[in-house]
Amino acid sequence: MESGVRQLYAKIRLKELASRGSLVLPLLHLRRTRGSATFRAVGRALGSTLRARLARPGGHHLVIFTMVYGKRLAQYLPAWLQRMRAFGHGGRTLVFCLDETSEEACRRCHEPLLCVRGREQTAANKFHMMSVIVNDGFDVLYLDFDVVLLQDPVPPVLKAAEQAELLVSRDLGSECLNIGVLYLKAHPDVAAFLQELIIWLWNHPYEFCQKAFAGLLGVEDLHWNEMFGDLGKAPRWAILDPVNAFVSSIVYSGDVQGWTGDLENIIIYHFLDASGAVDTKFAVAGRYVNLFDLFYANPKLDLADATTPLFQQDPQVQDELLGSRLPAAPSVSACGNLPSSAHPAWKRRQRARTKTLALVDRSNSQLSRGARLKSIG
């Protein structure tokens, strides 16, 4: 009887969430559709987050999700999820497992319903998954697997999201976006943007998905963009602080990558290890450095301890972080490869808007770190 009540509550809550602007079939009707096994599994995963009662204040439920595949990365998944649980996010973290190895690893250490099996090992999966989540009424925080949480990212992300429907990280020294950390609200404008992005990638499969994402926001130049036309109403979007909060390591360029400020202010450290290799001719270290081992296979770290900073638990972690610290933020360069005279009218409008956002972003970065953290709460 109790189980039946819980299921009824979940259905009612799903219907309520899905009715807030959903553009596709509500989750309530999943059992009557012929959707793929993956689509149905996402529905069950979202239902699981409802049962965990992890609502965020003032809006939709929030789902965190990442993608992983292969034996090399799957071995770090238990520790990665332990870090999520340290900040209370285990029940809302969905793992998109793109092979049998990662699925088995996930099911051994995580809620099985939150381990969703995918088939194609492609980066574009993140957009399809986010589209399903957003259209079914859930906000989503996407994290690349090669990140480590120094602090709980949810409070500062939600604070930043008060002024925007889409949040994205970027390089320190350029306007180039980095879609390793993305926050998207369950909002019609976001759903429409994801739909246009998926369609664009379908018709232009040769384009790097990160470049396409940035291009549709007007930050970068896309091949044949004159054929795509005006985007219409894009979602309000903003940059997550790349200076001292949502930062990256220096792998190839200290003019573009890295961070500056105080260790205590770092929220997410993106250590840029998607392939398990580097081009040694251009890498700053001159070799591949496996930071997965440092953060997720390090016996000196207690990843379940959310109160003691990781850089205080092991001096090597502090050395790694400080190794990518710059004395000051570099000037921010443009991110594009075409002269402005070659841009269509809609591109020029977007580029002008981007410049305005960049100026605001740079102005905000000059504020006192202490004052900004205090405002976050």
Side-chain angles (χ1 to χ4, degrees):
M1 179 66 179
E2 183 179 354
S3 175
V5 171
R6 286 200 302 269
Q7 291 178 4
L8 179 60
Y9 170 80
K11 285 184 177 182
I12 293 173
R13 187 68 178 133
L14 283 168
K15 184 175 182 180
E16 175 189 343
L17 290 171
S19 67
R20 298 184 187 182
S22 175
L23 302 181
V24 295
L25 197 65
L27 286 176
L28 181 64
H29 304 297
L30 276 177
R31 290 186 179 182
R32 297 200 293 271
T33 72
R34 296 182 180 180
S36 69
T38 300
F39 183 72
R40 295 194 300 271
V42 174
R44 291 191 291 270
L46 296 179
S48 176
T49 67
L50 292 181
R51 290 190 291 275
R53 298 186 179 184
L54 290 168
R56 74 165 177 82
H60 301 168
H61 280 234
L62 167 65
V63 173
I64 298 173
F65 112 86
T66 191
M67 300 192 305
V68 62
Y69 67 90
K71 183 178 180 180
R72 182 182 81 90
L73 296 182
Q75 65 180 313
Y76 302 112
L77 185 55
W80 199 95
L81 289 168
Q82 184 182 45
R83 193 60 178 166
M84 293 295 136
R85 288 192 290 269
F87 295 104
H89 301 314
R92 59 159 55 103
T93 300
L94 188 157
V95 182
F96 200 24
C97 308
L98 301 184
D99 65 1
E100 184 177 354
T101 300
S102 58
E103 182 184 26
E104 290 177 352
C106 185
R107 289 178 176 273
R108 285 195 299 267
C109 64
H110 199 35
E111 165 59 52
L113 284 177
L114 297 176
C115 303
V116 176
R117 176 66 184 274
R119 303 298 173 187
E120 301 296 328
Q121 295 172 3
T122 169
N125 273 314
K126 71 174 70 174
F127 305 128
H128 295 267
M129 180 69 80
M130 285 189 289
S131 181
V132 172
I133 294 171
V134 163
N135 275 292
D136 283 312
F138 291 75
D139 297 348
V140 56
L141 174 61
Y142 170 80
L143 301 176
D144 269 357
F145 196 64
D146 56 349
V147 305
V148 62
L149 305 188
L150 277 296
Q151 300 181 53
D152 184 355
V154 171
V157 163
L158 295 184
K159 180 67 176 178
E162 292 175 2
Q163 305 300 321
E165 278 69 64
L166 187 156
L167 303 172
V168 58
S169 57
R170 71 159 170 82
D171 293 335
L172 173 65
S174 84
E175 292 178 353
C176 294
L177 303 184
N178 186 316
I179 58 174
V181 181
L182 279 173
Y183 179 80
L184 296 95
K185 284 183 184 177
H187 188 280
D189 291 347
V190 173
F193 172 79
L194 287 170
Q195 177 176 291
E196 290 193 80
L197 176 60
I198 291 169
I199 292 172
W200 201 96
L201 287 171
W202 176 267
N203 289 296
H204 306 80
Y206 51 81
E207 189 66 89
F208 179 33
C209 64
Q210 180 166 277
K211 187 176 179 69
F213 186 97
L216 296 190
L217 288 178
V219 180
E220 293 198 48
D221 300 321
L222 295 173
H223 298 296
W224 299 102
N225 55 10
E226 69 274 13
M227 295 179 63
F228 190 81
D230 202 328
L231 285 174
K233 185 180 179 182
R236 295 186 305 165
W237 65 281
I239 301 294
L240 293 166
D241 172 27
V243 178
N244 197 190
F246 297 85
V247 306
S248 68
S249 61
I250 295 177
V251 177
Y252 289 113
S253 173
D255 294 329
V256 173
Q257 300 166 336
W259 64 280
T260 190
D262 301 319
L263 286 171
E264 292 79 8
N265 293 344
I266 298 177
I267 296 169
I268 287 181
Y269 187 62
H270 191 177
F271 51 90
L272 307 176
D273 185 359
S275 62
V278 296
D279 187 329
T280 57
K281 292 183 294 185
F282 300 103
V284 172
R287 60 188 176 88
Y288 170 65
V289 180
N290 187 350
L291 295 183
F292 277 106
D293 279 350
L294 177 63
F295 292 116
Y296 294 118
N298 185 348
K300 294 182 180 180
L301 297 184
D302 180 3
L303 295 173
D305 183 356
T307 60
T308 306
L310 298 182
F311 54 82
Q312 291 182 6
Q313 296 183 32
D314 183 1
Q316 285 188 309
V317 171
Q318 178 170 299
D319 291 344
E320 163 57 30
L321 298 174
L322 292 178
S324 290
R325 184 182 183 274
L326 301 176
S331 59
V332 180
S333 60
C335 191
N337 53 18
L338 293 177
S340 59
S341 60
H343 293 157
W346 70 271
K347 173 67 73 174
R348 289 194 290 272
R349 290 196 298 272
Q350 286 190 333
R351 189 58 60 87
R353 175 176 175 272
T354 300
K355 291 292 185 184
T356 301
L357 287 171
L359 289 173
V360 172
D361 183 48
R362 269 176 257 166
S363 175
N364 289 340
S365 72
Q366 302 304 315
L367 296 175
S368 159
R369 302 298 175 200
R372 289 170 63 205
L373 287 179
K374 183 177 180 181
S375 70
I376 288 172

